[in-house]
Amino acid sequence: MSIKTVATTPFSDQKPGTSGLRKKVAIFRSPHYLENFVQAIFDTIAAPQGSTLVLGGDGRHYNREAIQVILKMAAAFGFGKVLVGQGGILSTPAASCVIRKYHTYGGIILSASHNPGGPDGDFGIKYNTGNGGPAPEKITEAIYARSKALANYRIFDAPDVALDQAGSFTLGGMVVEVIDPVTDYAELMESLFDFDAIRTLIRGGFRLCFDAMHAVTGPYGHEILERRLGAPAGTVINGVPLPDFGGGHPDPNLTYAHELVEIMYGADAPDFGAASDGDGDRNMILGRHFFVNPSDSLAVIAANARLAPGYAAGVAGVARSMPTSEAVDRVAAKLGIPCYETPTGWKFFGNLMDAGKVTLCGEESFGTGSSHVREKDGLWAVLFWLNILAKRGQSVEKIIHGHWAEYGRNVYSRHDYESLPGDAADGVMAHLKSQFTELPGKRFDAWQVKFCDDFSYTDPVDGSVSTGQGLRIGFVDGSRIVFRLSGTGTEGATLRIYLEAFEPDTAKHHLDAQLALAGLIAIAGDLSQLRARTGREQPTVIT
Ligand code: VG1
Ligand code: CO
């Protein structure tokens, strides 16, 4: 067995997006493609010889092969140890947990998150630093630069390592420790939430359903919800992780988690429903016949945080991505704590959490989390809700309506237009921008434009600046429309339109968001010339 140096031609398209590098499986399978990117990571992070790395993924197609390649390259690079999830499995938040718990140098997570899997689906890879969080932009930029310049990569020439049972193996001078993917994470959850109270709630007849969407959270859901919290078998549906997610789209929203939605809106619906995504970092929360908007979920968690033992001391501050609704800002104002507004993507929360400035973070895209790890965390959010429900003894719907009555309602929706031709999407953005000088002051029915800009962010901790993070049109009454192009897709372009209006009047809180936002939706269509430029009449997904 020896280390081989293999010549590679650099690739020009290995630029990480919102969350790592995502491409079709076929592209990752093409000669040297994965190896080139992994070598670029290793060269960039320059881990000292003998360092420890965490490695795992969401179990999608190509996960197992990629894990073997990365193990052999890690051995050739000089890592001393790799902690790898059994079967190559680690959810994104569990990987973050393991990196932090064992103080490793960093970790590699194989996932394309909510993107479909299978041989014709997507694959992805991202690097997390020693704080457990996604590498910040300056590191992802350096990895990209290196990927375009590499001449060769190094790989240990050895047979594959057995990954299906826990234990220690050696690969040259490197130790491969196969760990249970659930145990460390489950222990962390038990330390944060009142499991006794949740157990009592469930024993009292409270019914719940968790849809793992045949993605990574199946084993986590079975262990935590069914074994440790005593929910009956069958509480977790679609709980067996499959390499193609059973042909589904592991994105927990009203469109793709339709099985759960049918259960929760059905005749004999349970009290609580939730779903998670491909890599376990997203969550959708539902009550009986009731959908909880993710921005509201963050606000409710912030307002009720003290009910969970891990947060009994209170919350230092909160952060949300720019397109996320301002519902949490209202909670922060009432609590007298700071609220930060960051660009889209979890990598922007890391510095704030490391500096102790924020405890809770969230995104409108079904992502919620806290400083217990440095990733958003799907099951964590589910447990937080169960903890709140157990302590408050009210239904999900009652809690949300009570919250709106106290703080007012930030009516919110996101419209996604998926798989647009790139040119058409760029044209929409350019056309919007071209109106920015003339728009302020203009009136559209009841709405007058107050400002428009292309969001940019200066990190308050390290001063780094991120520009071009989404086009904002703000109105005098506080409502707003945001336009952004997705940075996680692999096919064409996805345009996201985020719509928000504030409604203080309790009498109007029951209104459907699409109806309440109809005026803004029409303005967004007109200002962007959406139909003419894309030929689309309707969004692909409405949240
Ligand atoms: C989307 C979401 C963003 C999230 C990102 C990664 O990005 O909008 O909020 O952080 O996915 O989530 P984009 O660029 O497509 O809008 V995950 O669960 O895919 O790691
Ligand atoms: Co995800």
Side-chain angles (χ1 to χ4, degrees), residues 19 22 58 92-93 111-115 126 250 252 276-282 375-376:
S19 177
R22 293 186 192 177
D58 63 14
T92 287
S111 172
S113 189
H114 57 287
N115 300 19
K126 60 178 173 169
S276 191
D277 71 331
D279 60 333
D281 57 359
R282 295 186 181 204
E375 288 278 6
K376 54 190 187 278

PDB file of all heavy atoms in Angstrom, residues 19 22 58 92-93 111-115 126 250 252 276-282 375-376, ligand 2:
ATOM      1  N   SER A  19     -24.526  26.740   0.245  1.00  0.00           N
ATOM      2  CA  SER A  19     -24.141  25.718   1.221  1.00  0.00           C
ATOM      3  C   SER A  19     -23.350  24.611   0.518  1.00  0.00           C
ATOM      4  O   SER A  19     -23.877  23.557   0.215  1.00  0.00           O
ATOM      5  CB  SER A  19     -25.413  25.169   1.877  1.00  0.00           C
ATOM      6  OG  SER A  19     -25.108  24.137   2.771  1.00  0.00           O
ATOM      7  N   ARG A  22     -22.600  21.864  -5.048  1.00  0.00           N
ATOM      8  CA  ARG A  22     -23.669  20.922  -5.438  1.00  0.00           C
ATOM      9  C   ARG A  22     -23.682  20.770  -6.945  1.00  0.00           C
ATOM     10  O   ARG A  22     -23.696  21.762  -7.679  1.00  0.00           O
ATOM     11  CB  ARG A  22     -25.036  21.420  -4.970  1.00  0.00           C
ATOM     12  CG  ARG A  22     -25.121  21.393  -3.480  1.00  0.00           C
ATOM     13  CD  ARG A  22     -26.503  21.731  -2.971  1.00  0.00           C
ATOM     14  NE  ARG A  22     -26.395  21.960  -1.538  1.00  0.00           N
ATOM     15  CZ  ARG A  22     -27.388  22.334  -0.765  1.00  0.00           C
ATOM     16  NH1 ARG A  22     -28.583  22.542  -1.276  1.00  0.00           N
ATOM     17  NH2 ARG A  22     -27.188  22.514   0.526  1.00  0.00           N
ATOM     18  N   ASP A  58     -25.606  12.440   4.086  1.00  0.00           N
ATOM     19  CA  ASP A  58     -27.034  12.180   4.243  1.00  0.00           C
ATOM     20  C   ASP A  58     -27.461  10.858   3.622  1.00  0.00           C
ATOM     21  O   ASP A  58     -28.652  10.563   3.569  1.00  0.00           O
ATOM     22  CB  ASP A  58     -27.867  13.349   3.714  1.00  0.00           C
ATOM     23  CG  ASP A  58     -27.692  13.594   2.222  1.00  0.00           C
ATOM     24  OD1 ASP A  58     -27.137  12.725   1.527  1.00  0.00           O
ATOM     25  OD2 ASP A  58     -28.120  14.668   1.744  1.00  0.00           O
ATOM     26  N   THR A  92     -26.408  16.740   9.065  1.00  0.00           N
ATOM     27  CA  THR A  92     -25.606  17.971   9.156  1.00  0.00           C
ATOM     28  C   THR A  92     -25.483  18.467  10.603  1.00  0.00           C
ATOM     29  O   THR A  92     -24.373  18.722  11.074  1.00  0.00           O
ATOM     30  CB  THR A  92     -26.190  19.037   8.205  1.00  0.00           C
ATOM     31  OG1 THR A  92     -25.858  18.650   6.866  1.00  0.00           O
ATOM     32  CG2 THR A  92     -25.664  20.414   8.485  1.00  0.00           C
ATOM     33  N   PRO A  93     -26.600  18.580  11.362  1.00  0.00           N
ATOM     34  CA  PRO A  93     -26.417  19.026  12.752  1.00  0.00           C
ATOM     35  C   PRO A  93     -25.642  18.029  13.613  1.00  0.00           C
ATOM     36  O   PRO A  93     -24.892  18.440  14.503  1.00  0.00           O
ATOM     37  CB  PRO A  93     -27.843  19.205  13.273  1.00  0.00           C
ATOM     38  CG  PRO A  93     -28.741  18.557  12.285  1.00  0.00           C
ATOM     39  CD  PRO A  93     -28.026  18.521  10.980  1.00  0.00           C
ATOM     40  N   SER A 111     -23.656  16.144   1.207  1.00  0.00           N
ATOM     41  CA  SER A 111     -25.098  16.333   1.110  1.00  0.00           C
ATOM     42  C   SER A 111     -25.428  17.387   0.077  1.00  0.00           C
ATOM     43  O   SER A 111     -24.681  18.340  -0.122  1.00  0.00           O
ATOM     44  CB  SER A 111     -25.675  16.797   2.449  1.00  0.00           C
ATOM     45  OG  SER A 111     -27.023  17.141   2.269  1.00  0.00           O
ATOM     46  N   ALA A 112     -26.551  17.185  -0.592  1.00  0.00           N
ATOM     47  CA  ALA A 112     -27.116  18.270  -1.392  1.00  0.00           C
ATOM     48  C   ALA A 112     -28.448  18.654  -0.758  1.00  0.00           C
ATOM     49  O   ALA A 112     -29.361  19.124  -1.427  1.00  0.00           O
ATOM     50  CB  ALA A 112     -27.281  17.857  -2.850  1.00  0.00           C
ATOM     51  N   SER A 113     -28.541  18.357   0.562  1.00  0.00           N
ATOM     52  CA  SER A 113     -29.661  18.808   1.386  1.00  0.00           C
ATOM     53  C   SER A 113     -31.031  18.464   0.809  1.00  0.00           C
ATOM     54  O   SER A 113     -31.343  17.292   0.650  1.00  0.00           O
ATOM     55  CB  SER A 113     -29.518  20.303   1.619  1.00  0.00           C
ATOM     56  OG  SER A 113     -30.446  20.718   2.571  1.00  0.00           O
ATOM     57  N   HIS A 114     -31.805  19.484   0.455  1.00  0.00           N
ATOM     58  CA  HIS A 114     -33.183  19.256   0.016  1.00  0.00           C
ATOM     59  C   HIS A 114     -33.268  18.893  -1.463  1.00  0.00           C
ATOM     60  O   HIS A 114     -34.354  18.641  -1.965  1.00  0.00           O
ATOM     61  CB  HIS A 114     -34.003  20.517   0.287  1.00  0.00           C
ATOM     62  CG  HIS A 114     -33.412  21.722  -0.380  1.00  0.00           C
ATOM     63  ND1 HIS A 114     -32.262  22.318   0.078  1.00  0.00           N
ATOM     64  CD2 HIS A 114     -33.772  22.405  -1.486  1.00  0.00           C
ATOM     65  CE1 HIS A 114     -31.965  23.335  -0.704  1.00  0.00           C
ATOM     66  NE2 HIS A 114     -32.855  23.414  -1.663  1.00  0.00           N
ATOM     67  N   ASN A 115     -32.153  18.901  -2.171  1.00  0.00           N
ATOM     68  CA  ASN A 115     -32.204  18.565  -3.606  1.00  0.00           C
ATOM     69  C   ASN A 115     -32.437  17.069  -3.782  1.00  0.00           C
ATOM     70  O   ASN A 115     -31.946  16.261  -2.996  1.00  0.00           O
ATOM     71  CB  ASN A 115     -30.897  18.954  -4.300  1.00  0.00           C
ATOM     72  CG  ASN A 115     -30.567  20.438  -4.222  1.00  0.00           C
ATOM     73  OD1 ASN A 115     -31.108  21.137  -3.383  1.00  0.00           O
ATOM     74  ND2 ASN A 115     -29.680  20.905  -5.051  1.00  0.00           N
ATOM     75  N   LYS A 126     -19.572  19.787   1.537  1.00  0.00           N
ATOM     76  CA  LYS A 126     -19.233  21.060   2.164  1.00  0.00           C
ATOM     77  C   LYS A 126     -18.239  20.829   3.290  1.00  0.00           C
ATOM     78  O   LYS A 126     -18.182  19.752   3.894  1.00  0.00           O
ATOM     79  CB  LYS A 126     -20.471  21.794   2.660  1.00  0.00           C
ATOM     80  CG  LYS A 126     -21.272  21.046   3.693  1.00  0.00           C
ATOM     81  CD  LYS A 126     -22.468  21.882   4.157  1.00  0.00           C
ATOM     82  CE  LYS A 126     -23.359  21.080   5.063  1.00  0.00           C
ATOM     83  NZ  LYS A 126     -24.374  21.863   5.741  1.00  0.00           N
ATOM     84  N   PRO A 250     -36.596  15.622  -0.920  1.00  0.00           N
ATOM     85  CA  PRO A 250     -36.583  15.688   0.556  1.00  0.00           C
ATOM     86  C   PRO A 250     -36.564  17.113   1.090  1.00  0.00           C
ATOM     87  O   PRO A 250     -35.652  17.522   1.788  1.00  0.00           O
ATOM     88  CB  PRO A 250     -35.301  14.934   0.910  1.00  0.00           C
ATOM     89  CG  PRO A 250     -34.389  15.210  -0.234  1.00  0.00           C
ATOM     90  CD  PRO A 250     -35.262  15.313  -1.467  1.00  0.00           C
ATOM     91  N   PRO A 252     -38.826  19.720   3.200  1.00  0.00           N
ATOM     92  CA  PRO A 252     -40.018  19.764   4.057  1.00  0.00           C
ATOM     93  C   PRO A 252     -40.820  21.043   3.858  1.00  0.00           C
ATOM     94  O   PRO A 252     -40.709  21.986   4.626  1.00  0.00           O
ATOM     95  CB  PRO A 252     -39.424  19.706   5.466  1.00  0.00           C
ATOM     96  CG  PRO A 252     -38.075  20.342   5.322  1.00  0.00           C
ATOM     97  CD  PRO A 252     -37.608  20.062   3.922  1.00  0.00           C
ATOM     98  N   SER A 276     -38.460  16.793   8.157  1.00  0.00           N
ATOM     99  CA  SER A 276     -37.101  17.319   8.027  1.00  0.00           C
ATOM    100  C   SER A 276     -36.605  17.059   6.608  1.00  0.00           C
ATOM    101  O   SER A 276     -37.262  16.368   5.833  1.00  0.00           O
ATOM    102  CB  SER A 276     -36.197  16.673   9.066  1.00  0.00           C
ATOM    103  OG  SER A 276     -34.975  17.352   9.105  1.00  0.00           O
ATOM    104  N   ASP A 277     -35.434  17.597   6.266  1.00  0.00           N
ATOM    105  CA  ASP A 277     -34.979  17.501   4.872  1.00  0.00           C
ATOM    106  C   ASP A 277     -33.886  16.444   4.702  1.00  0.00           C
ATOM    107  O   ASP A 277     -33.602  15.673   5.619  1.00  0.00           O
ATOM    108  CB  ASP A 277     -34.482  18.867   4.380  1.00  0.00           C
ATOM    109  CG  ASP A 277     -33.177  19.280   5.023  1.00  0.00           C
ATOM    110  OD1 ASP A 277     -32.931  18.856   6.172  1.00  0.00           O
ATOM    111  OD2 ASP A 277     -32.387  20.005   4.400  1.00  0.00           O
ATOM    112  N   GLY A 278     -33.283  16.401   3.527  1.00  0.00           N
ATOM    113  CA  GLY A 278     -32.281  15.400   3.177  1.00  0.00           C
ATOM    114  C   GLY A 278     -31.223  15.215   4.235  1.00  0.00           C
ATOM    115  O   GLY A 278     -30.924  14.098   4.657  1.00  0.00           O
ATOM    116  N   ASP A 279     -30.630  16.297   4.719  1.00  0.00           N
ATOM    117  CA  ASP A 279     -29.510  16.204   5.665  1.00  0.00           C
ATOM    118  C   ASP A 279     -29.900  16.569   7.093  1.00  0.00           C
ATOM    119  O   ASP A 279     -29.022  16.725   7.956  1.00  0.00           O
ATOM    120  CB  ASP A 279     -28.332  17.061   5.190  1.00  0.00           C
ATOM    121  CG  ASP A 279     -28.690  18.525   5.073  1.00  0.00           C
ATOM    122  OD1 ASP A 279     -29.876  18.845   4.857  1.00  0.00           O
ATOM    123  OD2 ASP A 279     -27.773  19.366   5.212  1.00  0.00           O
ATOM    124  N   GLY A 280     -31.203  16.745   7.338  1.00  0.00           N
ATOM    125  CA  GLY A 280     -31.669  16.888   8.722  1.00  0.00           C
ATOM    126  C   GLY A 280     -31.509  18.253   9.344  1.00  0.00           C
ATOM    127  O   GLY A 280     -31.639  18.401  10.556  1.00  0.00           O
ATOM    128  N   ASP A 281     -31.227  19.272   8.546  1.00  0.00           N
ATOM    129  CA  ASP A 281     -31.056  20.582   9.187  1.00  0.00           C
ATOM    130  C   ASP A 281     -32.294  21.476   9.068  1.00  0.00           C
ATOM    131  O   ASP A 281     -32.370  22.513   9.704  1.00  0.00           O
ATOM    132  CB  ASP A 281     -29.792  21.306   8.697  1.00  0.00           C
ATOM    133  CG  ASP A 281     -29.751  21.494   7.193  1.00  0.00           C
ATOM    134  OD1 ASP A 281     -30.685  21.045   6.498  1.00  0.00           O
ATOM    135  OD2 ASP A 281     -28.757  22.080   6.706  1.00  0.00           O
ATOM    136  N   ARG A 282     -33.273  21.054   8.248  1.00  0.00           N
ATOM    137  CA  ARG A 282     -34.484  21.881   8.125  1.00  0.00           C
ATOM    138  C   ARG A 282     -35.647  21.262   8.893  1.00  0.00           C
ATOM    139  O   ARG A 282     -35.636  20.059   9.169  1.00  0.00           O
ATOM    140  CB  ARG A 282     -34.912  21.982   6.672  1.00  0.00           C
ATOM    141  CG  ARG A 282     -33.938  22.688   5.810  1.00  0.00           C
ATOM    142  CD  ARG A 282     -34.527  22.865   4.431  1.00  0.00           C
ATOM    143  NE  ARG A 282     -33.555  23.535   3.593  1.00  0.00           N
ATOM    144  CZ  ARG A 282     -33.852  24.241   2.524  1.00  0.00           C
ATOM    145  NH1 ARG A 282     -35.117  24.349   2.152  1.00  0.00           N
ATOM    146  NH2 ARG A 282     -32.908  24.826   1.816  1.00  0.00           N
ATOM    147  N   GLU A 375     -24.960  24.720  13.015  1.00  0.00           N
ATOM    148  CA  GLU A 375     -25.760  24.458  11.827  1.00  0.00           C
ATOM    149  C   GLU A 375     -27.212  24.629  12.227  1.00  0.00           C
ATOM    150  O   GLU A 375     -27.545  24.551  13.417  1.00  0.00           O
ATOM    151  CB  GLU A 375     -25.554  23.022  11.328  1.00  0.00           C
ATOM    152  CG  GLU A 375     -24.200  22.764  10.673  1.00  0.00           C
ATOM    153  CD  GLU A 375     -24.156  23.194   9.208  1.00  0.00           C
ATOM    154  OE1 GLU A 375     -25.132  23.800   8.720  1.00  0.00           O
ATOM    155  OE2 GLU A 375     -23.133  22.923   8.556  1.00  0.00           O
ATOM    156  N   LYS A 376     -28.071  24.807  11.242  1.00  0.00           N
ATOM    157  CA  LYS A 376     -29.487  24.742  11.584  1.00  0.00           C
ATOM    158  C   LYS A 376     -29.800  23.297  11.909  1.00  0.00           C
ATOM    159  O   LYS A 376     -29.055  22.398  11.539  1.00  0.00           O
ATOM    160  CB  LYS A 376     -30.357  25.299  10.463  1.00  0.00           C
ATOM    161  CG  LYS A 376     -30.160  24.706   9.080  1.00  0.00           C
ATOM    162  CD  LYS A 376     -30.943  25.559   8.081  1.00  0.00           C
ATOM    163  CE  LYS A 376     -30.960  24.954   6.683  1.00  0.00           C
ATOM    164  NZ  LYS A 376     -29.735  25.261   5.927  1.00  0.00           N
TER     165      LYS A 376
HETATM  166 CO    CO B   2     -30.530  20.812   4.544  1.00  0.00          CO
END
